[in-house]
Amino acid sequence: MRRLAVFSLVVLVVLSGVGPAAIGPSTPVEAQTQPESGADWRQYDADEELDVDASDGLDEAELEAVVSRAMVRVEEVRGVEFDERPPVRVVTREEFRSERADRGGPGEEAAAFRNGKYQALFLVGDDEDATAVQAENMDAAVAGFYEPATGEIVVVSNEAEPRLNELTLAHELVHAYQDQRWGLANYDARTQDGSGGQLGLIEGDAVYVETRYEERCGTDWECVTPGGNSNEDPGEQGPGRPANFGVLILDFLPYDAGPAFVEAVHGAGGWEAVDAVYDDPPRSTEQVVVPERYPDDDPREVSIEDSQSEGWERLDPEGGPDHDRLGMGAITTMFVNPLYDSNGREWVVPADDWFAYEGDEPPPYGMFDYGSEYAAGWDGDRLHVYENGDELGYVWKLAYESPADAETFAGGFDDLLAYWGAERVESDTYVIEEGGYDGAYHVSVENDTVTITHAPDVAALTAVSADARPGTTEGAPGNDGSADGGSGEDAEDLPGLGIAVALAALVAAAYLLVRRR
Protein backbone atom coordinates (compact mmCIF):
# COMPACT_ATOMS: atom_id res chain seq x y z
CA MET A 1 0.00 0.00 0.00
CA ARG A 2 1.41 3.42 -0.89
CA ARG A 3 2.04 6.17 1.63
CA LEU A 4 -1.26 8.00 1.21
CA ALA A 5 -3.22 4.88 2.00
CA VAL A 6 -0.98 4.31 5.00
CA PHE A 7 -1.67 7.77 6.33
CA SER A 8 -5.37 7.61 5.59
CA LEU A 9 -5.65 5.38 8.65
CA VAL A 10 -2.62 6.51 10.60
CA VAL A 11 -4.54 8.43 13.25
CA LEU A 12 -6.96 5.61 13.94
CA VAL A 13 -4.13 3.12 14.07
CA VAL A 14 -1.95 5.15 16.41
CA LEU A 15 -4.90 5.79 18.68
CA SER A 16 -5.48 2.08 18.58
CA GLY A 17 -2.10 1.33 20.07
CA VAL A 18 -0.23 0.29 16.95
CA GLY A 19 1.82 2.61 14.79
CA PRO A 20 1.15 3.53 11.17
CA ALA A 21 3.08 0.64 9.72
CA ALA A 22 0.33 -1.67 10.97
CA ILE A 23 -1.51 -0.58 7.85
CA GLY A 24 1.37 -1.69 5.74
CA PRO A 25 2.25 -3.16 2.37
CA SER A 26 -0.51 -4.76 0.36
CA THR A 27 1.66 -7.85 -0.08
CA PRO A 28 1.91 -10.27 2.85
CA VAL A 29 4.64 -9.57 5.39
CA GLU A 30 6.23 -12.40 7.29
CA ALA A 31 5.80 -12.31 11.06
CA GLN A 32 9.00 -11.34 12.87
CA THR A 33 10.49 -14.29 14.70
CA GLN A 34 13.73 -14.69 16.62
CA PRO A 35 15.42 -17.74 18.12
CA GLU A 36 14.44 -18.72 21.64
CA SER A 37 17.95 -18.18 22.98
CA GLY A 38 18.61 -14.95 24.82
CA ALA A 39 15.20 -14.77 26.52
CA ASP A 40 16.83 -13.05 29.50
CA TRP A 41 13.52 -11.60 30.70
CA ARG A 42 12.59 -15.02 32.06
CA GLN A 43 15.11 -14.63 34.87
CA TYR A 44 12.30 -12.68 36.55
CA ASP A 45 9.19 -14.14 38.20
CA ALA A 46 5.75 -12.67 37.65
CA ASP A 47 5.30 -11.97 41.37
CA GLU A 48 8.82 -10.66 41.91
CA GLU A 49 9.17 -7.34 43.75
CA LEU A 50 11.61 -4.98 42.09
CA ASP A 51 13.88 -2.53 43.88
CA VAL A 52 12.97 0.45 41.69
CA ASP A 53 11.78 3.97 42.42
CA ALA A 54 9.35 5.04 39.70
CA SER A 55 8.30 8.31 41.34
CA ASP A 56 10.80 10.34 39.32
CA GLY A 57 11.07 8.11 36.27
CA LEU A 58 13.11 4.97 35.65
CA ASP A 59 16.76 4.75 34.73
CA GLU A 60 17.87 2.34 32.01
CA ALA A 61 18.45 -0.61 34.35
CA GLU A 62 15.15 -0.06 36.17
CA LEU A 63 13.25 0.18 32.90
CA GLU A 64 14.80 -3.04 31.66
CA ALA A 65 13.78 -4.81 34.87
CA VAL A 66 10.18 -3.54 34.74
CA VAL A 67 9.84 -4.46 31.06
CA SER A 68 11.26 -7.94 31.69
CA ARG A 69 8.87 -8.64 34.55
CA ALA A 70 5.93 -7.29 32.54
CA MET A 71 6.82 -9.63 29.67
CA VAL A 72 6.75 -12.60 32.04
CA ARG A 73 3.38 -11.44 33.37
CA VAL A 74 1.89 -11.04 29.88
CA GLU A 75 3.19 -14.49 28.98
CA GLU A 76 1.44 -15.88 32.05
CA VAL A 77 -1.86 -14.06 31.50
CA ARG A 78 -2.02 -14.64 27.73
CA GLY A 79 -0.47 -18.11 27.76
CA VAL A 80 2.21 -17.25 25.20
CA GLU A 81 5.97 -16.85 24.86
CA PHE A 82 7.69 -13.84 23.33
CA ASP A 83 10.37 -14.43 20.70
CA GLU A 84 12.35 -11.32 21.62
CA ARG A 85 12.30 -8.27 23.85
CA PRO A 86 10.90 -5.18 22.11
CA PRO A 87 12.72 -1.89 22.71
CA VAL A 88 10.74 0.46 24.99
CA ARG A 89 10.93 4.26 25.21
CA VAL A 90 9.11 6.60 27.59
CA VAL A 91 8.58 10.11 26.20
CA THR A 92 6.82 13.27 27.33
CA ARG A 93 3.62 14.36 25.65
CA GLU A 94 5.42 17.25 24.02
CA GLU A 95 7.99 14.86 22.57
CA PHE A 96 5.18 12.65 21.29
CA ARG A 97 3.44 15.59 19.63
CA SER A 98 6.67 16.64 17.97
CA GLU A 99 7.35 13.13 16.66
CA ARG A 100 3.78 12.81 15.41
CA ALA A 101 3.99 16.14 13.61
CA ASP A 102 7.15 14.98 11.85
CA ARG A 103 5.18 12.21 10.16
CA GLY A 104 3.59 14.77 7.87
CA GLY A 105 0.03 14.65 6.58
CA PRO A 106 -2.10 13.08 3.86
CA GLY A 107 -2.19 14.31 0.31
CA GLU A 108 -4.75 16.92 -0.68
CA GLU A 109 -7.18 14.46 -2.27
CA ALA A 110 -6.91 11.98 0.60
CA ALA A 111 -7.56 14.78 3.09
CA ALA A 112 -10.61 15.92 1.13
CA PHE A 113 -11.95 12.35 1.02
CA ARG A 114 -11.54 12.09 4.80
CA ASN A 115 -13.42 15.37 5.24
CA GLY A 116 -16.26 14.03 3.11
CA LYS A 117 -16.45 10.82 5.13
CA TYR A 118 -16.68 12.57 8.49
CA GLN A 119 -19.14 15.11 7.13
CA ALA A 120 -21.34 12.22 5.97
CA LEU A 121 -21.31 10.93 9.56
CA PHE A 122 -22.10 14.40 11.01
CA LEU A 123 -18.94 14.22 13.10
CA VAL A 124 -16.77 16.95 11.55
CA GLY A 125 -18.39 20.01 10.02
CA ASP A 126 -17.62 21.53 6.63
CA ASP A 127 -15.79 24.38 8.38
CA GLU A 128 -13.32 21.95 10.02
CA ASP A 129 -10.49 19.72 8.85
CA ALA A 130 -10.92 16.07 9.82
CA THR A 131 -7.20 15.36 9.78
CA ALA A 132 -6.54 18.22 12.21
CA VAL A 133 -9.40 17.10 14.46
CA GLN A 134 -8.06 13.55 14.66
CA ALA A 135 -4.56 14.85 15.35
CA GLU A 136 -5.85 17.01 18.21
CA ASN A 137 -7.72 14.04 19.67
CA MET A 138 -4.58 11.96 19.45
CA ASP A 139 -2.42 14.63 21.05
CA ALA A 140 -4.78 14.76 24.03
CA ALA A 141 -5.45 11.07 24.55
CA VAL A 142 -2.66 8.75 23.43
CA ALA A 143 -0.68 7.13 26.25
CA GLY A 144 1.49 4.92 24.08
CA PHE A 145 1.75 2.88 20.90
CA TYR A 146 3.55 -0.01 19.29
CA GLU A 147 5.39 0.65 16.02
CA PRO A 148 5.51 -2.47 13.83
CA ALA A 149 8.05 -0.92 11.44
CA THR A 150 10.65 -0.83 14.21
CA GLY A 151 9.20 -3.25 16.76
CA GLU A 152 9.37 -0.43 19.31
CA ILE A 153 6.99 0.41 22.16
CA VAL A 154 6.59 4.10 23.02
CA VAL A 155 4.88 5.05 26.29
CA VAL A 156 3.69 8.66 26.54
CA SER A 157 3.81 10.44 29.89
CA ASN A 158 2.07 13.64 30.94
CA GLU A 159 4.86 14.40 33.39
CA ALA A 160 7.84 16.65 32.68
CA GLU A 161 10.00 13.72 33.80
CA PRO A 162 8.64 10.74 31.82
CA ARG A 163 7.07 8.08 34.03
CA LEU A 164 6.02 4.60 33.05
CA ASN A 165 2.54 3.18 33.44
CA GLU A 166 2.87 -0.60 33.64
CA LEU A 167 -0.68 -1.21 32.38
CA THR A 168 0.05 0.79 29.23
CA LEU A 169 3.24 -1.22 28.86
CA ALA A 170 1.33 -4.50 29.24
CA HIS A 171 -1.15 -3.45 26.56
CA GLU A 172 1.63 -2.59 24.12
CA LEU A 173 3.50 -5.80 24.90
CA VAL A 174 0.45 -7.70 23.65
CA HIS A 175 0.82 -5.81 20.36
CA ALA A 176 4.50 -6.73 20.26
CA TYR A 177 3.57 -10.40 20.68
CA GLN A 178 0.88 -10.12 17.99
CA ASP A 179 3.42 -8.69 15.60
CA GLN A 180 6.02 -11.34 16.38
CA ARG A 181 3.55 -14.14 15.78
CA TRP A 182 1.22 -12.92 13.04
CA GLY A 183 2.78 -9.80 11.55
CA LEU A 184 0.52 -6.79 12.14
CA ALA A 185 1.28 -5.39 8.69
CA ASN A 186 -0.81 -8.22 7.26
CA TYR A 187 -3.97 -6.70 8.77
CA ASP A 188 -4.46 -3.93 6.24
CA ALA A 189 -8.20 -3.60 5.64
CA ARG A 190 -8.76 -0.43 3.66
CA THR A 191 -12.19 0.76 4.73
CA GLN A 192 -13.40 2.33 7.96
CA ASP A 193 -15.56 -0.71 8.68
CA GLY A 194 -13.03 -3.34 7.66
CA SER A 195 -10.28 -1.72 9.68
CA GLY A 196 -12.61 -1.44 12.65
CA GLY A 197 -13.31 -5.16 12.44
CA GLN A 198 -9.63 -6.09 12.43
CA LEU A 199 -8.80 -3.62 15.19
CA GLY A 200 -11.65 -5.08 17.23
CA LEU A 201 -9.61 -8.28 17.39
CA ILE A 202 -6.18 -6.67 17.76
CA GLU A 203 -7.14 -4.07 20.35
CA GLY A 204 -9.75 -6.30 21.93
CA ASP A 205 -7.10 -8.92 22.68
CA ALA A 206 -4.79 -6.28 24.18
CA VAL A 207 -7.52 -4.72 26.34
CA TYR A 208 -8.79 -8.12 27.52
CA VAL A 209 -5.27 -9.17 28.55
CA GLU A 210 -4.61 -5.79 30.15
CA THR A 211 -7.83 -6.06 32.15
CA ARG A 212 -6.88 -9.50 33.47
CA TYR A 213 -3.39 -8.18 34.19
CA GLU A 214 -4.78 -5.23 36.16
CA GLU A 215 -6.97 -7.53 38.24
CA ARG A 216 -3.79 -9.03 39.69
CA CYS A 217 -2.18 -5.68 40.51
CA GLY A 218 -2.52 -4.99 44.22
CA THR A 219 -3.45 -8.58 45.01
CA ASP A 220 -0.88 -10.94 43.48
CA TRP A 221 1.46 -8.35 41.99
CA GLU A 222 3.07 -5.04 42.74
CA CYS A 223 2.63 -2.84 39.67
CA VAL A 224 4.49 0.29 38.64
CA THR A 225 2.32 3.35 38.12
CA PRO A 226 3.20 6.98 37.33
CA GLY A 227 2.96 7.80 41.03
CA GLY A 228 5.59 5.24 42.02
CA ASN A 229 5.68 1.64 43.26
CA SER A 230 2.09 1.47 44.35
CA ASN A 231 -1.26 0.18 43.35
CA GLU A 232 -2.90 3.60 43.24
CA ASP A 233 -5.16 4.51 40.38
CA PRO A 234 -2.85 4.80 37.34
CA GLY A 235 -5.22 7.29 35.79
CA GLU A 236 -4.39 10.12 38.17
CA GLN A 237 -2.57 11.94 35.39
CA GLY A 238 -5.83 12.11 33.50
CA PRO A 239 -6.38 12.63 29.79
CA GLY A 240 -6.71 15.90 28.00
CA ARG A 241 -10.16 16.83 26.74
CA PRO A 242 -10.59 15.47 23.20
CA ALA A 243 -11.16 17.97 20.42
CA ASN A 244 -14.12 16.01 19.08
CA PHE A 245 -16.14 13.54 21.14
CA GLY A 246 -17.87 12.02 18.10
CA VAL A 247 -14.57 11.05 16.49
CA LEU A 248 -13.42 9.70 19.86
CA ILE A 249 -16.55 7.53 20.09
CA LEU A 250 -15.83 6.08 16.65
CA ASP A 251 -12.17 5.42 17.42
CA PHE A 252 -13.07 3.91 20.80
CA LEU A 253 -15.10 1.03 19.33
CA PRO A 254 -12.21 -1.50 19.11
CA TYR A 255 -11.39 -0.87 22.80
CA ASP A 256 -14.97 -1.22 24.01
CA ALA A 257 -16.65 -3.78 21.76
CA GLY A 258 -13.38 -5.51 20.84
CA PRO A 259 -12.54 -7.00 24.26
CA ALA A 260 -16.15 -8.15 24.68
CA PHE A 261 -15.77 -9.97 21.35
CA VAL A 262 -12.47 -11.54 22.48
CA GLU A 263 -13.99 -12.47 25.84
CA ALA A 264 -16.81 -14.30 24.03
CA VAL A 265 -14.34 -16.22 21.85
CA HIS A 266 -12.09 -16.99 24.82
CA GLY A 267 -15.05 -18.16 26.89
CA ALA A 268 -16.09 -20.58 24.17
CA GLY A 269 -12.69 -22.06 23.33
CA GLY A 270 -9.86 -20.54 25.36
CA TRP A 271 -6.78 -18.80 23.98
CA GLU A 272 -6.47 -21.36 21.20
CA ALA A 273 -9.80 -20.15 19.82
CA VAL A 274 -8.68 -16.52 20.07
CA ASP A 275 -5.46 -17.35 18.24
CA ALA A 276 -7.46 -18.98 15.45
CA VAL A 277 -9.37 -15.74 14.82
CA TYR A 278 -6.13 -14.08 13.66
CA ASP A 279 -6.23 -16.39 10.65
CA ASP A 280 -9.75 -15.19 9.84
CA PRO A 281 -10.25 -11.78 11.50
CA PRO A 282 -13.62 -10.00 11.65
CA ARG A 283 -14.42 -8.31 8.36
CA SER A 284 -16.78 -5.68 9.76
CA THR A 285 -17.56 -3.85 12.98
CA GLU A 286 -20.88 -5.70 12.99
CA GLN A 287 -19.01 -8.98 13.53
CA VAL A 288 -17.28 -7.41 16.55
CA VAL A 289 -20.33 -5.71 18.03
CA VAL A 290 -22.52 -8.78 17.48
CA PRO A 291 -20.16 -11.77 17.93
CA GLU A 292 -22.87 -14.16 16.76
CA ARG A 293 -22.42 -12.64 13.27
CA TYR A 294 -18.83 -13.88 13.14
CA PRO A 295 -17.54 -15.51 10.98
CA ASP A 296 -20.29 -16.24 8.46
CA ASP A 297 -22.25 -13.01 8.08
CA ASP A 298 -20.14 -10.93 5.70
CA PRO A 299 -21.24 -7.50 4.45
CA ARG A 300 -23.10 -7.30 1.18
CA GLU A 301 -21.30 -5.76 -1.77
CA VAL A 302 -23.04 -2.45 -2.48
CA SER A 303 -22.54 -0.61 -5.77
CA ILE A 304 -23.05 3.02 -6.81
CA GLU A 305 -23.23 4.07 -10.44
CA ASP A 306 -21.48 7.42 -10.82
CA SER A 307 -23.48 10.04 -12.70
CA GLN A 308 -21.88 13.32 -11.64
CA SER A 309 -21.82 16.33 -13.99
CA GLU A 310 -21.24 20.09 -14.15
CA GLY A 311 -17.66 19.96 -12.97
CA TRP A 312 -18.09 17.47 -10.13
CA GLU A 313 -15.39 14.80 -10.00
CA ARG A 314 -15.20 11.69 -7.88
CA LEU A 315 -12.26 11.65 -5.48
CA ASP A 316 -9.78 8.85 -6.06
CA PRO A 317 -6.88 9.36 -3.62
CA GLU A 318 -3.52 8.04 -4.75
CA GLY A 319 -3.12 4.55 -3.38
CA GLY A 320 -6.87 4.23 -2.84
CA PRO A 321 -9.37 3.22 -2.01
CA ASP A 322 -11.74 5.40 -4.03
CA HIS A 323 -14.68 4.53 -1.77
CA ASP A 324 -15.38 3.62 1.82
CA ARG A 325 -17.60 1.29 3.80
CA LEU A 326 -18.57 2.92 7.08
CA GLY A 327 -20.38 0.08 8.85
CA MET A 328 -22.47 -0.54 11.94
CA GLY A 329 -20.14 1.15 14.40
CA ALA A 330 -19.94 4.36 12.37
CA ILE A 331 -23.71 4.46 11.84
CA THR A 332 -24.34 4.13 15.57
CA THR A 333 -21.74 6.82 16.29
CA MET A 334 -23.53 9.17 13.90
CA PHE A 335 -26.80 8.76 15.80
CA VAL A 336 -25.38 8.98 19.34
CA ASN A 337 -23.08 11.94 18.69
CA PRO A 338 -25.87 14.44 19.55
CA LEU A 339 -25.65 13.20 23.16
CA TYR A 340 -22.39 15.13 23.38
CA ASP A 341 -23.64 18.23 21.62
CA SER A 342 -25.43 21.08 23.38
CA ASN A 343 -27.81 22.70 20.92
CA GLY A 344 -30.83 22.01 23.14
CA ARG A 345 -32.75 19.87 20.65
CA GLU A 346 -34.02 16.37 21.33
CA TRP A 347 -31.55 13.54 21.05
CA VAL A 348 -32.03 10.90 18.39
CA VAL A 349 -30.86 7.98 20.57
CA PRO A 350 -31.80 8.13 24.28
CA ALA A 351 -28.83 7.98 26.62
CA ASP A 352 -30.14 4.82 28.28
CA ASP A 353 -30.01 3.06 24.90
CA TRP A 354 -26.38 4.07 24.38
CA PHE A 355 -24.88 3.27 27.77
CA ALA A 356 -24.73 -0.49 28.21
CA TYR A 357 -24.12 -0.54 31.94
CA GLU A 358 -25.87 0.50 35.12
CA GLY A 359 -24.45 2.25 38.16
CA ASP A 360 -21.88 4.96 38.63
CA GLU A 361 -18.73 3.02 37.74
CA PRO A 362 -18.20 2.08 34.09
CA PRO A 363 -16.92 -1.44 33.42
CA PRO A 364 -13.46 -1.88 31.87
CA TYR A 365 -15.13 -2.46 28.50
CA GLY A 366 -18.60 -3.03 27.08
CA MET A 367 -19.69 0.44 28.22
CA PHE A 368 -21.49 1.37 25.01
CA ASP A 369 -23.97 -0.30 22.66
CA TYR A 370 -22.54 0.20 19.18
CA GLY A 371 -25.45 -1.71 17.66
CA SER A 372 -28.20 0.91 17.76
CA GLU A 373 -31.68 0.25 16.37
CA TYR A 374 -30.75 2.32 13.30
CA ALA A 375 -27.76 0.07 12.62
CA ALA A 376 -29.57 -3.18 13.37
CA GLY A 377 -30.12 -5.13 10.18
CA TRP A 378 -27.23 -3.35 8.45
CA ASP A 379 -26.02 -5.47 5.54
CA GLY A 380 -23.45 -3.26 3.83
CA ASP A 381 -22.84 0.25 2.55
CA ARG A 382 -20.69 2.26 0.16
CA LEU A 383 -19.61 5.91 0.15
CA HIS A 384 -18.40 7.94 -2.85
CA VAL A 385 -17.06 11.47 -2.30
CA TYR A 386 -17.10 14.13 -5.03
CA GLU A 387 -15.35 17.48 -5.36
CA ASN A 388 -16.01 20.65 -7.31
CA GLY A 389 -13.47 23.34 -6.51
CA ASP A 390 -13.64 23.84 -2.75
CA GLU A 391 -17.05 22.15 -2.46
CA LEU A 392 -17.63 18.55 -1.42
CA GLY A 393 -20.57 16.26 -2.09
CA TYR A 394 -21.17 12.57 -1.56
CA VAL A 395 -23.42 9.62 -2.27
CA TRP A 396 -23.82 7.11 0.55
CA LYS A 397 -25.82 3.97 -0.21
CA LEU A 398 -26.77 1.65 2.64
CA ALA A 399 -28.20 -1.86 2.35
CA TYR A 400 -30.29 -3.50 5.07
CA GLU A 401 -31.57 -7.00 5.62
CA SER A 402 -35.20 -5.99 5.11
CA PRO A 403 -37.27 -3.03 3.90
CA ALA A 404 -38.43 -2.54 7.50
CA ASP A 405 -34.82 -2.13 8.66
CA ALA A 406 -34.20 0.38 5.87
CA GLU A 407 -37.29 2.35 6.87
CA THR A 408 -36.12 2.39 10.49
CA PHE A 409 -32.77 3.85 9.46
CA ALA A 410 -34.44 6.41 7.20
CA GLY A 411 -36.77 7.51 9.97
CA GLY A 412 -33.85 7.93 12.34
CA PHE A 413 -31.91 9.85 9.70
CA ASP A 414 -34.88 12.19 9.31
CA ASP A 415 -34.69 12.87 13.05
CA LEU A 416 -30.92 13.33 12.82
CA LEU A 417 -31.28 15.91 10.06
CA ALA A 418 -33.84 17.73 12.18
CA TYR A 419 -31.46 17.69 15.11
CA TRP A 420 -28.82 19.45 13.02
CA GLY A 421 -31.33 22.08 11.92
CA ALA A 422 -32.65 20.75 8.61
CA GLU A 423 -35.86 21.89 6.98
CA ARG A 424 -37.69 19.49 4.67
CA VAL A 425 -38.25 21.29 1.35
CA GLU A 426 -39.55 18.27 -0.60
CA SER A 427 -40.76 14.83 0.41
CA ASP A 428 -37.24 13.51 -0.06
CA THR A 429 -35.09 16.65 0.23
CA TYR A 430 -33.79 18.68 3.18
CA VAL A 431 -31.74 21.84 3.58
CA ILE A 432 -29.48 22.87 6.47
CA GLU A 433 -28.76 26.60 6.35
CA GLU A 434 -26.05 26.85 8.99
CA GLY A 435 -24.23 25.07 11.76
CA GLY A 436 -21.38 23.20 10.03
CA TYR A 437 -23.36 20.68 7.99
CA ASP A 438 -24.78 23.21 5.55
CA GLY A 439 -26.26 22.15 2.24
CA ALA A 440 -28.90 19.97 0.67
CA TYR A 441 -29.65 16.31 1.41
CA HIS A 442 -31.65 13.94 -0.78
CA VAL A 443 -32.85 10.71 0.87
CA SER A 444 -34.23 7.90 -1.26
CA VAL A 445 -35.64 4.68 0.18
CA GLU A 446 -36.01 1.77 -2.24
CA ASN A 447 -36.91 -1.63 -0.85
CA ASP A 448 -34.03 -2.57 1.50
CA THR A 449 -31.66 0.25 0.51
CA VAL A 450 -31.33 3.91 1.48
CA THR A 451 -29.34 6.34 -0.65
CA ILE A 452 -28.25 9.71 0.75
CA THR A 453 -26.91 12.39 -1.59
CA HIS A 454 -25.38 15.60 -0.27
CA ALA A 455 -24.54 18.74 -2.23
CA PRO A 456 -23.90 22.41 -1.35
CA ASP A 457 -27.47 23.35 -2.40
CA VAL A 458 -30.61 21.84 -3.90
CA ALA A 459 -29.67 22.82 -7.45
CA ALA A 460 -26.39 20.90 -7.20
CA LEU A 461 -27.95 17.61 -6.04
CA THR A 462 -28.52 16.26 -9.55
CA ALA A 463 -25.01 17.37 -10.53
CA VAL A 464 -23.56 15.15 -7.80
CA SER A 465 -25.94 12.31 -8.70
CA ALA A 466 -28.45 12.30 -11.54
CA ASP A 467 -30.74 10.14 -9.40
CA ALA A 468 -31.03 12.74 -6.63
CA ARG A 469 -33.98 14.62 -8.12
CA PRO A 470 -35.94 16.45 -5.42
CA GLY A 471 -39.57 15.43 -5.06
CA THR A 472 -39.33 12.25 -7.11
CA THR A 473 -39.39 9.73 -4.27
CA GLU A 474 -41.46 9.27 -1.15
CA GLY A 475 -38.43 10.01 1.02
CA ALA A 476 -37.95 9.13 4.63
CA PRO A 477 -40.73 8.79 7.18
CA GLY A 478 -40.43 11.17 10.07
CA ASN A 479 -41.00 14.73 11.13
CA ASP A 480 -43.01 17.41 9.42
CA GLY A 481 -39.97 19.35 8.29
CA SER A 482 -39.42 21.53 11.33
CA ALA A 483 -36.09 21.66 13.11
CA ASP A 484 -37.69 20.45 16.32
CA GLY A 485 -38.18 16.83 15.34
CA GLY A 486 -36.48 13.90 17.01
CA SER A 487 -37.41 10.67 18.68
CA GLY A 488 -35.02 10.85 21.63
CA GLU A 489 -35.80 12.07 25.11
CA ASP A 490 -35.38 15.76 25.79
CA ALA A 491 -32.11 16.63 27.52
CA GLU A 492 -33.88 18.60 30.26
CA ASP A 493 -36.43 15.87 30.96
CA LEU A 494 -34.17 12.82 30.96
CA PRO A 495 -34.37 11.43 34.49
CA GLY A 496 -31.03 10.85 36.16
CA LEU A 497 -28.84 11.01 33.06
CA GLY A 498 -28.52 14.45 31.53
CA ILE A 499 -25.82 15.88 29.31
CA ALA A 500 -23.45 16.37 32.24
CA VAL A 501 -23.64 12.68 33.14
CA ALA A 502 -23.31 11.64 29.50
CA LEU A 503 -20.28 13.86 29.12
CA ALA A 504 -18.75 12.52 32.31
CA ALA A 505 -19.22 8.96 31.08
CA LEU A 506 -17.42 9.72 27.84
CA VAL A 507 -14.63 11.42 29.76
CA ALA A 508 -14.37 8.15 31.67
CA ALA A 509 -14.14 6.43 28.30
CA ALA A 510 -11.38 8.83 27.30
CA TYR A 511 -9.60 7.97 30.54
CA LEU A 512 -9.82 4.28 29.73
CA LEU A 513 -8.64 5.02 26.20
CA VAL A 514 -5.56 6.71 27.63
CA ARG A 515 -4.79 3.68 29.75
CA ARG A 516 -5.17 1.30 26.84
CA ARG A 517 -2.83 2.46 24.11
Tab-separated table of all heavy atoms in Angstrom, residues 300-306 381-382 384 397 451:
chain	number	residue	atom	x	y	z
A	300	ARG	N	-22.697	-7.242	2.583
A	300	ARG	CA	-23.103	-7.298	1.184
A	300	ARG	C	-22.278	-6.314	0.362
A	300	ARG	O	-21.946	-5.230	0.817
A	300	ARG	CB	-24.589	-6.946	1.067
A	300	ARG	CG	-25.153	-7.105	-0.354
A	300	ARG	CD	-26.473	-6.354	-0.553
A	300	ARG	NE	-27.465	-6.594	0.478
A	300	ARG	CZ	-28.700	-6.076	0.437
A	300	ARG	NH1	-29.057	-5.286	-0.568
A	300	ARG	NH2	-29.555	-6.323	1.409
A	301	GLU	N	-21.962	-6.682	-0.858
A	301	GLU	CA	-21.300	-5.758	-1.773
A	301	GLU	C	-22.341	-4.774	-2.297
A	301	GLU	O	-23.338	-5.175	-2.901
A	301	GLU	CB	-20.647	-6.513	-2.931
A	301	GLU	CG	-19.409	-7.309	-2.546
A	301	GLU	CD	-18.254	-6.431	-2.121
A	301	GLU	OE1	-18.163	-5.281	-2.621
A	301	GLU	OE2	-17.451	-6.879	-1.276
A	302	VAL	N	-22.120	-3.503	-2.060
A	302	VAL	CA	-23.036	-2.450	-2.482
A	302	VAL	C	-22.370	-1.651	-3.604
A	302	VAL	O	-21.179	-1.319	-3.507
A	302	VAL	CB	-23.387	-1.518	-1.304
A	302	VAL	CG1	-24.288	-0.373	-1.766
A	302	VAL	CG2	-24.053	-2.315	-0.183
A	303	SER	N	-23.108	-1.342	-4.637
A	303	SER	CA	-22.545	-0.606	-5.773
A	303	SER	C	-23.253	0.738	-5.940
A	303	SER	O	-24.427	0.888	-5.589
A	303	SER	CB	-22.664	-1.417	-7.061
A	303	SER	OG	-24.023	-1.662	-7.381
A	304	ILE	N	-22.513	1.703	-6.472
A	304	ILE	CA	-23.048	3.019	-6.811
A	304	ILE	C	-22.615	3.334	-8.234
A	304	ILE	O	-21.420	3.245	-8.561
A	304	ILE	CB	-22.524	4.109	-5.855
A	304	ILE	CG1	-22.995	3.858	-4.417
A	304	ILE	CG2	-22.958	5.501	-6.322
A	304	ILE	CD1	-22.390	4.818	-3.398
A	305	GLU	N	-23.560	3.685	-9.072
A	305	GLU	CA	-23.227	4.069	-10.443
A	305	GLU	C	-23.019	5.579	-10.488
A	305	GLU	O	-23.936	6.358	-10.240
A	305	GLU	CB	-24.355	3.668	-11.406
A	305	GLU	CG	-24.018	3.954	-12.856
A	305	GLU	CD	-25.088	3.445	-13.808
A	305	GLU	OE1	-25.947	2.658	-13.366
A	305	GLU	OE2	-25.055	3.852	-14.994
A	306	ASP	N	-21.789	5.988	-10.772
A	306	ASP	CA	-21.476	7.415	-10.816
A	306	ASP	C	-22.223	8.094	-11.962
A	306	ASP	O	-22.299	7.570	-13.079
A	306	ASP	CB	-19.973	7.635	-11.008
A	306	ASP	CG	-19.168	7.211	-9.794
A	306	ASP	OD1	-19.597	7.506	-8.667
A	306	ASP	OD2	-18.105	6.579	-9.974
A	381	ASP	N	-22.668	-1.110	3.041
A	381	ASP	CA	-22.842	0.254	2.552
A	381	ASP	C	-21.649	0.636	1.699
A	381	ASP	O	-20.621	-0.060	1.672
A	381	ASP	CB	-23.045	1.257	3.703
A	381	ASP	CG	-21.822	1.455	4.572
A	381	ASP	OD1	-20.880	2.132	4.118
A	381	ASP	OD2	-21.792	0.941	5.707
A	382	ARG	N	-21.775	1.755	1.008
A	382	ARG	CA	-20.689	2.255	0.164
A	382	ARG	C	-20.806	3.770	0.070
A	382	ARG	O	-21.916	4.304	-0.111
A	382	ARG	CB	-20.744	1.630	-1.241
A	382	ARG	CG	-19.549	1.976	-2.142
A	382	ARG	CD	-19.708	1.298	-3.490
A	382	ARG	NE	-18.601	1.576	-4.386
A	382	ARG	CZ	-17.546	0.787	-4.573
A	382	ARG	NH1	-17.471	-0.360	-3.897
A	382	ARG	NH2	-16.576	1.108	-5.410
A	384	HIS	N	-19.215	7.255	-1.846
A	384	HIS	CA	-18.401	7.943	-2.846
A	384	HIS	C	-18.377	9.419	-2.497
A	384	HIS	O	-19.420	9.998	-2.152
A	384	HIS	CB	-18.985	7.772	-4.251
A	384	HIS	CG	-18.847	6.391	-4.814
A	384	HIS	ND1	-19.202	6.072	-6.113
A	384	HIS	CD2	-18.389	5.234	-4.269
A	384	HIS	CE1	-18.982	4.792	-6.333
A	384	HIS	NE2	-18.487	4.256	-5.220
A	397	LYS	N	-24.748	4.954	-0.011
A	397	LYS	CA	-25.815	3.969	-0.209
A	397	LYS	C	-25.684	2.880	0.848
A	397	LYS	O	-24.629	2.258	0.988
A	397	LYS	CB	-25.744	3.363	-1.606
A	397	LYS	CG	-26.899	2.429	-1.946
A	397	LYS	CD	-26.827	1.971	-3.394
A	397	LYS	CE	-28.001	1.080	-3.779
A	397	LYS	NZ	-27.907	0.655	-5.207
A	451	THR	N	-30.410	5.594	0.002
A	451	THR	CA	-29.342	6.344	-0.655
A	451	THR	C	-29.427	7.804	-0.240
A	451	THR	O	-30.471	8.444	-0.394
A	451	THR	CB	-29.433	6.232	-2.188
A	451	THR	OG1	-29.405	4.845	-2.571
A	451	THR	CG2	-28.263	6.961	-2.848
